[in-house]
Amino acid sequence: MINKIAEIKDLAVFVDFDWNRSVRDKGNNIAEFRKQNIIYGRNYSGKTTLSRIFRSFETGTINKKYSNAQFKLSHTGNETLTQLTIENNPYHIRVYNKDFVKDNLKWLIDEDGSIEPFAIVGEKNVDRKSTRLN
């Protein structure tokens, strides 16, 4: 399980972010992610940037806007999760943000756009999809 975003350097609003210095609970203990988390904040506070860090682990690529970025995730596994290891991470991560919408739900942005398949639930739907693709 991912515990925290340990460090972020030179990534949008995050110049030199250190989780251990910045994220504390009411008792001043270092806070960590839980099984489910909600990230919220004001406009331009870094929400999309954080989602792009997680999405980079989903897609295996870093957003073009942040090619020089550095980040490190702390987790329960042994491997170090950084911008250099996004292609080989042990987690099945899914992120729904504006990049996901742009890449997969083009019809929301462009009338002539299409919907890319991104989830199949149930055995019958798997069979239907494979039939349509053949």
Side-chain angles (χ1 to χ4, degrees), residues 99-122:
D99 297 334
F100 175 89
V101 171
K102 186 180 86 181
D103 293 343
N104 296 286
L105 303 174
K106 293 176 182 76
W107 61 273
L108 291 172
I109 299 166
D110 176 8
E111 283 183 16
D112 298 327
S114 61
I115 300 174
E116 295 296 323
F118 56 86
I120 300 172
V121 179

Side-chain angles (χ1 to χ4, degrees), residues 1 8 10-11 26 37-38 46 60 63 88 91 108 120 132:
M1 182 172 119
I8 308 173
D10 300 322
L11 184 59
K26 292 179 182 178
N37 302 275
I38 296 174
N63 187 287
N88 299 314
Y91 297 104
L108 291 172
I120 300 172
R132 278 186 269 139

